[in-house]
Amino acid sequence: MTYKAPRGTHDVFGNNALGMSLLEQKARGIFQKHGFEELRTPIFEDAALFMRSIGQTTDIVEKEMYIFEDRKGRKLALRPEGTASLVRAFIEHRMDVLTPAGKFFYVGEMFRYERPQAGRYRQFHQIGAEFFDNSSPAADAEIIVLAQDLLFAIGIDKINVHINSLGCQNCRPLFREALVKDFGFVENLCEDCVRRLEKNPLRLLDCKVDSYKFTAVPQMSDYLCDDCKDNFSLVQSLLKSAGCAYTVDGKLVRGLDYYTRIVFEIRSDAVGSQDALAAGGRYDNLVEELGGKHTPAVGFALGCERVLLAAEKTGFFNSLKKPEKIFVAIADQELFNEAFSFATKTVRKGLKSNKDISVFGPVNNKSLTNQLKFADKIKASKAIVFAKTEFENGKVLVKDMKEKTQIEISINEL
Ligand code: ATP
Ligand code: MG
């Protein structure tokens, strides 16, 4: 009996693992510069939290959530996204009243029951940030610039930033009405769109099946109230002054219901049809809707797997620096303890000096030839050989595995 990773999940190793941790490392650096602190939430939450925040008629809640009952019959869900959990934590720890101005980031696995394909998985990783208690357009612009800088930091520079404003409680209903009227004229809507038309017409614009049919539908920009219009143009002028190129995209709606005003998506041509690398927007009412004090907020999430797919196309993986590999070998079995002690010391010294090395060996009961064959296999650059005669003189042999040369060096000098 053999086992396979469940459908839609994957093991991360080799270059992908290196890329994933480098992406995380870059993100942490950028978040710190912008004053964001890490907030880790549980991987599962009360299922109702997501239903309430993301919205009952969204794809995520209707068909993509992993819901289960625990042994006490509690209805839990594996988190499909990060914002709902962060807002829950923000309220639970009373940050909405005690320390409202919060800038938080998260890194972790998300779960959605989707049809797996390149760039779309059932378990995937997101890096995201939430900027609480700031209704200034500068917060929207900072979040967009931050997401863009993160992509630049790993060599993805051919990106398109799409932005739109979804308006507010005052102007969105008028747009909604106009949309419903217009969609009524579109023939052969898909099954999902027929249902959405009644419950959540904005979502039709995002339909992966029908959206090409909606070329002439009304645009939100024509319905924005004066405040929302001002807000949208302020965000745009801030983006311009930060040198961030963008496209206003009247059809951008996003898949979660909590958004108000600015939404955005960063796309790359490098990853085929799953081209959205990062996305986000403003959600001024969510904290209040989940029981907290009114706290305007804006955030984004970036899909790590998709970003790494795009990075691969730019040759990013070839530029990953790998540590130098050193293999500690023994020509005489009786030097096994000494060799082991040397290997341990070398690792500790490397740790202290922050040197980029990996130490392998020693192994016992293997001929020197086999040990060196192994060193070749793992692409070690050097083999340090402990041999009796040399060791008695305080020396070891250092073999250059590529040049096939060797020199004697005093152990103290290594
Ligand atoms: P899409 O339209 O591609 O389904 P979405 O609107 O569902 O995206 P968000 O919920 O905004 O995406 O998530 C933010 C980012 O997370 C996406 O831009 C994408 O890079 C990534 N992402 C979303 N779903 C998946 C998935 N199933 N597998 C891998 N990455 C994903
Ligand atoms: Mg989706």
Side-chain angles (χ1 to χ4, degrees), residues 8 10 59-60 64 80-81 106 110-115 117-127 203 206 208 254-256 258-259 264-266 273-280 300-307:
H10 57 277
D59 284 354
I60 294 181
E64 297 173 3
E81 59 109 45
Y106 57 88
M110 304 294 158
F111 305 84
R112 296 185 194 177
Y113 193 85
E114 301 204 65
R115 196 170 66 77
Q117 50 195 295
R120 195 175 287 288
Y121 311 99
R122 292 184 174 170
Q123 175 175 330
F124 58 101
H125 296 78
Q126 280 187 343
I127 294 178
R203 302 276 306 124
D206 197 33
K208 305 236 171 4
R254 312 282 315 113
L256 307 101
Y258 48 64
Y259 288 118
F264 71 97
E265 203 165 275
I266 305 184
S273 56
Q274 314 310 324
D275 60 353
L277 302 183
F300 84 99
L302 167 152
C304 299
E305 282 79 2
R306 263 184 227 181
V307 167

Side-chain angles (χ1 to χ4, degrees), residues 367-384:
S367 70
L368 183 60
T369 317
N370 278 340
Q371 291 176 57
L372 294 177
K373 264 191 197 155
F374 177 78
D376 260 336
K377 235 187 219 165
I378 60 166
K379 296 197 172 73
S381 64
K382 274 193 204 103
I384 316 276

Side-chain angles (χ1 to χ4, degrees), residues 286-300:
L286 185 59
V287 177
E288 199 171 1
E289 273 163 23
L290 293 179
K293 196 178 134 209
H294 180 73
T295 309
V298 54
F300 84 99

Side-chain angles (χ1 to χ4, degrees), residues 357-369:
I357 51 161
S358 303
V359 181
F360 294 79
V363 286
N364 60 353
N365 300 328
K366 257 193 183 177
S367 70
L368 183 60
T369 317

Side-chain angles (χ1 to χ4, degrees), residues 3-11 66 116 122-123:
Y3 297 98
K4 280 187 167 173
R7 185 167 147 79
T9 70
H10 57 277
D11 303 307
Y66 277 91
R122 292 184 174 170
Q123 175 175 330

